[in-house]
Amino acid sequence: MKINGTPYRSIWLHPEDSTIVQIIDQRWLPHRLVIADLSTVEEAAFAIKEMQVRGAPLIGATAAYGMYLACLDAQKAGENLAEDWLAKAYDRLLDTRPTAINLHWALERMKKTLASVESLTEKAALALETAQQVCDEDVDICYNIGQHGLPIIEEISRRKGGEVVNILTHCNAGWIATVDWGTATSPIYQAHDKGIKVHVWVDETRPRNQGARLTSWELNEHGVPNTVIVDNVGGHLMQHGMVDLCIVGTDRTTYTGDVANKIGTYLKALAAKDNNVPFYVALPSTTIDWEIRDGLTIPIEQRRVNEVIRIQGLDEETNEVKQVLLTPQQSKAANYAFDVTPSRLVTGLITERGVCEASEEGIRGLFPG
Ligand code: MRU
């Protein structure tokens, strides 16, 4: 998608130096567009953990590139230490964020691929090729999610006689959370590009405000009308018929259709159920956990309380991006980063292969392998 009219992906190889991976450092958006260089596995791990990059598919893509950087690091350490080095790099990257399963998926893919060649030179070349494949595939997958989600929006638009379709989303499942297009936003971008009138209610998504900072920013960049709301507004809007549809992303979906996503998603799903508002979850198949049956056993990340007790924004007087203290200094805080929406509250899953019921039957119907 475009920033200021220039097409971007969220991660790419440095055009002049193939030992450097570049990312948009999302910690500074929307106030600064900072491009960061990653040249070691440690920098890739830091980028994921500190949320320079975030969003399940992009976490996976960064980990894939992280293993490429690990191969380059290992070349410096020497051929005889390579296996040990790569195993440590795998663990280091896996340890960064526990909920998004794309991380594990990407690392496993890299591990299996790298095991197929012997020398470090071959491993490095293959790692780069595979990381780039992971990214290209993610772009295609997200585009196809949009293609399959589009008819849902078209149908509502038809029913409303071409009136604006109001869509509520939570957190950021936009292009900046993937390599391009986004998951929840892909049908929205494609509907907008087709001339369907859409408007997005953007949950601010405390504590890190991915909705207010990132979703609103990227929708603005693409010209999609949107309104930022605080996290507790959605239920009220639904009661008053102001939401036609919810579409959210997910960090991990069990093969039975339970959905882990950014904290607060569950409450929106409950409100949607109570008000007969369709609640869809958009996901690439790389986000499906084929081992976990019960969503409540998905590991839920707990992050630093600093994210709750402080808030970041632009000081318009000094033009500095700053954090300020929000709570009494001595207040205790807790920071649960994700929650689980049971499949019974999900109207359907929008995947790259089509839309299915949030159930084992529905998921296996689309992904029999
Ligand atoms: O903590 P984050 O910002 O990585 O959480 C992101 C989300 O919850 C997204 O909804 C999810 O990763 C879907 S990404 C297309």
Side-chain angles (χ1 to χ4, degrees), residues 150-363:
L150 176 60
I152 297 170
I153 300 176
E154 280 178 318
E155 168 55 26
I156 296 172
S157 166
R158 246 192 317 272
R159 232 177 34 224
K160 290 185 79 177
E163 288 284 298
V164 177
V165 179
N166 288 297
I167 303 166
L168 183 139
T169 193
H170 191 69
C171 194
N172 172 263
W175 76 264
I176 199 94
T178 64
V179 179
D180 208 350
W181 286 104
T183 56
T185 56
S186 185
I188 298 172
Y189 286 132
Q190 295 190 36
H192 172 82
D193 291 351
K194 227 180 148 182
I196 296 167
K197 287 191 206 151
V198 287
H199 163 261
V200 184
W201 294 111
V202 178
D203 282 353
E204 65 171 348
T205 320
R206 276 284 287 153
R208 289 189 69 111
N209 296 310
Q210 290 95 326
R213 292 192 306 110
L214 305 173
T215 306
S216 184
W217 168 78
E218 60 166 87
L219 291 171
N220 290 344
E221 289 288 326
H222 199 74
V224 179
N226 67 94
T227 305
V228 178
I229 48 177
V230 297
D231 287 326
N232 296 323
V233 173
H236 168 79
L237 295 178
M238 291 185 215
Q239 283 178 324
H240 289 270
M242 293 163 79
V243 180
D244 297 304
L245 166 72
C246 300
I247 313 182
V248 300
T250 167
D251 285 76
R252 190 186 298 222
T253 292
T254 64
Y255 66 88
T256 57
D258 293 342
V259 169
N261 191 48
K262 182 53 55 187
I263 194 78
T265 303
Y266 171 49
L267 293 178
K268 291 300 139 61
L270 282 171
K273 186 77 172 179
D274 195 42
N275 292 284
N276 289 320
V277 173
F279 188 92
Y280 283 91
V281 179
L283 70 151
S285 52
T286 50
T287 303
I288 301 170
D289 186 325
W290 294 101
E291 278 162 22
I292 290 189
R293 162 169 283 279
D294 175 2
L296 291 181
T297 63
I298 293 174
I300 298 297
E301 179 179 15
Q302 288 187 54
R303 296 184 60 84
R304 282 190 299 269
V305 297
N306 182 49
E307 295 177 352
V308 177
I309 66 170
R310 297 198 164 74
I311 194 159
Q312 178 173 300
L314 181 73
D315 181 332
E316 289 168 279
E317 270 172 28
T318 62
N319 201 30
E320 266 176 284
V321 176
K322 273 189 183 160
Q323 285 195 357
V324 293
L325 185 65
L326 197 63
T327 62
Q329 208 135 29
Q330 69 275 30
S331 288
K332 284 194 181 148
N335 190 4
Y336 293 89
F338 297 93
D339 61 23
V340 174
T341 299
S343 59
R344 65 174 184 277
L345 300 180
V346 177
T347 309
L349 303 174
I350 308 171
T351 78
E352 71 269 28
R353 293 206 184 155
V355 180
C356 70
E357 193 180 76
S359 65
E360 181 168 358
E361 209 187 2
I363 293 173

Side-chain angles (χ1 to χ4, degrees), residues 129-143:
E129 191 186 313
T130 311
Q132 286 175 323
Q133 263 167 22
V134 166
C135 290
D136 291 344
E137 285 168 18
D138 187 64
V139 177
D140 287 347
I141 285 173
C142 288
Y143 175 77

